[in-house]
Amino acid sequence: MIQGARPYNDTAAVMPPIYQTTTYQLPSPEAGAAIAAEIAPSQFYTRYGSPNNKQVEALLAALEGSEAALVLGSGMAAVSTALLSNLKAGDHVVAQHTHYTATMSLLSDVLPRFGIEVTQVDQRDIEAFARAMRPNTKIVYTETPTNPTMDLTDLRATAEIAHAGGALAITDNTFASAYNQRPLALGYDLVVHSATKYLNGHSDVTAGVICGPRALIEKAWEHMRINGPVLHPFEAWLLRRGLQTYGLRMARHNANALAVARFLESHPAVSRVYYPGLESHPQHALAKRQMPGGFGGMIAFEMKGGYDAAYRVIGRTKLCILAVSLGGVETLITHPASMVHSQQTDEQRAQAGIAPGLIRLSVGCEDVEDIIADLAQALA
Ligand code: LCS
C-alpha cells in the first residue's frame, strides 16, 4: 500500500502537509456558497472533511475495493454511523451473539431505546441468520473472525440472506483486515474497521473507516456531519503514514501468528487454541475460502487451569505487553473476560463463548522466536 502523495496534495512535498486548520478561506461569496452546498467538501470546514482525510480515504477505498470511503474519529464512530445512518424506529437488525464489547452494547442497549429491534444469532449457524430475517429487517450485521473467540461468519452466505430479504449486509473487518479478507467482493454492501488496529498499525491513532458505494458513504457522511465524530487532520495524516507499511506488516502478522498458534497448540498447559489458520479450527475450510490473504494476527487460547492459570500467564509475560487493543506492531496480551468484555453480563459472555480461562493475543511483528520464548517462560 505504498502510493504517491498526489491526491489532495498540490504541494511538492512527498509526504503531504498536515492541514491543521478548522476552516478555509473561501475564494468568493458565490464560490463559498457553492462549496457549502457540496457533499463532503475537502476545504470548507474540518468537520465536513479535510485534504488529509481525503488522502487516506482514497487509499482505504482502494484497499477494500470500494467506490468511496469515510474516515471517522474511532472504530465505534464507524460502527454506529454505518448502522444508524441506515436505520429508523421500527426497523429490525440481525446480528451475532459475539461482537466487540461496545458493539454489543450498541446492539443490545442503545438501538432498542430508539425503537430498533435486534435479533442476535450464533454466527456459525447460517440457518439461524435466515430464520431471524423479518419483513422489516434492514441490516444484517456481522463481524468475522469474532472478537475474541475467533468464530467465523460465512460472508458470502450472509450477504445472500441479507439481500434476499431486502436488507443491507454490513460487516466489521477489523480482525481479519483487508489484506486477508475482502467482504465487498463476497457481496457485502458496507465494510467498517477500527482503523485504530491493523490499518494504522502503530497503537498511536484512534480512528475508524466505512468503505462502500458512494451513495451509502454520502449518507454516512451526512450522519457524521450532524453527529460530529470527526477524524482530525493530524490523526488522518498518521493513519496515512501507517498505511504505507500495511502490506509488510500484515504479511508478518500472519506468519508470526500461525507459528505462535502452532506453538500454543503443542503446549501441555493449553487446552485449546482458537486460530482460523489451524487445521483444528472447526471452520478452517471456510477460513481458507474467505481469507485468501492469510488468517490474521489474532489468537485466543484457553488454559487448562482456567481463570487462575490465565491470570498467572498474563502477569508473567515480558515481551508480550499486558494491554487491551490490537493490531499494532507490538504483541499485546489480554484477558477478555475481565478486560475487553467486562461490560457484558456473565450470561452474555457465556453465550459469546468467552471462558474465564481465555487469553487473547494480538501477535505483533517482532522476531517470532522472541514471542514464543516469552510465552514459553510465562506458561512454564
Ligand atoms: N470493532 C472491533 C472488532 C474492535 O475490536 C474494536 C475495538 C472496535 C470495533 C472499536 O474500535 P475503536 O473505537 O476502539 O477504534 N477493540 C478493542 C479491543 O478488542 N480491545 O480494546 C479495543
Side-chain angles (χ1 to χ4, degrees), residues 74-324:
S74 70
M76 282 316 300
V79 171
S80 59
T81 300
L83 288 168
L84 291 168
S85 61
N86 290 295
L87 291 170
K88 60 179 186 330
D91 287 345
H92 175 246
V93 175
V94 176
Q96 308 184 162
H97 279 326
T98 314
H99 284 284
Y100 168 61
T101 181
T103 304
M104 284 288 277
S105 305
L106 178 70
L107 294 167
S108 58
D109 304 338
V110 179
L111 295 185
R113 283 203 279 119
F114 293 89
I116 298 158
E117 287 184 299
V118 180
T119 305
Q120 292 181 256
V121 303
D122 184 332
Q123 51 275 357
R124 295 161 299 186
D125 182 356
I126 285 305
E127 296 306 316
F129 281 94
R131 277 196 306 276
M133 295 296 288
R134 300 182 193 165
N136 60 337
T137 304
K138 292 290 154 54
I139 293 174
V140 172
Y141 185 75
T142 65
E143 178 183 325
T144 179
T146 51
N147 182 357
T149 47
M150 307 306 291
D151 286 336
L152 302 193
T153 310
D154 188 326
L155 288 170
R156 193 182 286 283
T158 46
E160 278 169 15
I161 290 167
H163 295 156
L168 290 174
I170 306 180
T171 196
D172 182 334
N173 204 24
T174 302
F175 253 47
S177 208
Y179 183 91
N180 293 324
Q181 174 171 280
R182 307 281 295 275
L184 299 177
L186 298 172
Y188 265 69
D189 300 291
L190 286 175
V191 171
V192 299
H193 284 265
S194 169
T196 314
K197 319 300 186 201
Y198 291 106
L199 296 176
N200 178 60
H202 294 76
S203 306
D204 54 9
V205 170
T206 302
V209 64
I210 309 176
C211 299
R214 189 165 308 283
L216 291 178
I217 296 301
E218 288 181 353
K219 264 173 97 174
W221 175 80
E222 181 64 9
H223 187 92
M224 187 196 69
R225 185 182 73 84
I226 296 165
N227 289 279
V230 19
L231 185 68
H232 299 285
F234 180 49
E235 265 63 22
W237 184 90
L238 279 173
L239 175 55
R240 184 197 169 285
R241 189 177 67 159
L243 275 176
Q244 292 183 122
T245 54
Y246 179 69
L248 301 172
R249 288 186 284 105
M250 289 312 298
R252 180 74 166 232
H253 284 296
N254 287 344
N256 280 1
L258 187 59
V260 170
R262 292 207 196 287
F263 161 75
L264 290 169
E265 195 168 45
S266 69
H267 198 285
V270 173
S271 61
R272 191 162 164 202
V273 182
Y274 302 78
Y275 185 68
L278 291 177
E279 292 73 14
S280 60
H281 191 285
Q283 296 168 294
H284 182 59
L286 174 60
K288 282 196 289 190
R289 272 207 310 282
Q290 76 179 19
M291 302 177 79
F295 305 105
M298 298 304 296
I299 301 175
F301 63 100
E302 245 170 82
M303 295 299 296
K304 280 188 184 147
Y307 179 91
D308 291 343
Y311 252 66
R312 268 199 304 282
V313 171
I314 64 171
R316 271 196 207 158
T317 57
K318 298 190 174 77
L319 178 143
C320 306
I321 301 167
L322 179 61
V324 298

